[in-house]
Amino acid sequence: MSEEVQVMAGIPENDEAFNPSAWIENLASILAGFLADPRLRYSQGIQPNVVDGELCLLIATWLETSDRATYDYVMEYAKANQLRVQEDRRTGDRAIQKLA
């Protein structure tokens, strides 16, 4: 499986602020679940994260083949709201760690 990660930013393609402001948490929470302890665990392939000081949603590209429905849902959300989705190309200390 590929370890590539896509970053979905909260800035639409037209550079205007996107509302609702809690969309990242809402989208990540829909795809999260609970384990034996009562703590919410984010999906391994969809996780909120801060990138360059901005809250973003990380999307593992391997979801496209392993969980197509989830991948399509997230990509359709981005498309419907004209949100930017780009490959994370940072390296070294600034690179996003592999999703566990």
Side-chain angles (χ1 to χ4, degrees), residues 8-95:
M8 183 185 305
I11 301 173
E13 295 170 353
N14 63 8
D15 290 329
E16 294 179 8
F18 178 67
N19 286 315
S21 59
W23 72 270
I24 292 172
E25 293 89 352
N26 292 341
L27 192 54
S29 295
I30 289 170
L31 303 169
F34 291 93
L35 297 178
D37 62 351
R39 294 176 55 193
L40 184 66
R41 306 285 180 175
Y42 291 114
S43 163
Q44 291 184 5
I46 307 288
Q47 297 185 0
N49 200 307
V50 176
V51 177
D52 294 332
E54 181 178 347
L55 188 60
C56 296
L57 191 65
L58 305 182
I59 306 139
T61 55
W62 52 259
L63 278 175
E64 189 172 9
T65 55
S66 68
D67 188 351
R68 186 61 187 228
T70 296
Y71 184 83
D72 287 347
Y73 178 78
V74 172
M75 291 298 128
E76 283 299 318
Y77 183 90
K79 182 179 177 182
N81 293 288
Q82 300 176 342
L83 296 173
R84 291 183 187 161
V85 178
Q86 62 191 38
E87 184 178 336
D88 182 36
R89 297 177 186 218
R90 294 173 298 151
T91 59
D93 292 341
R94 298 193 63 222

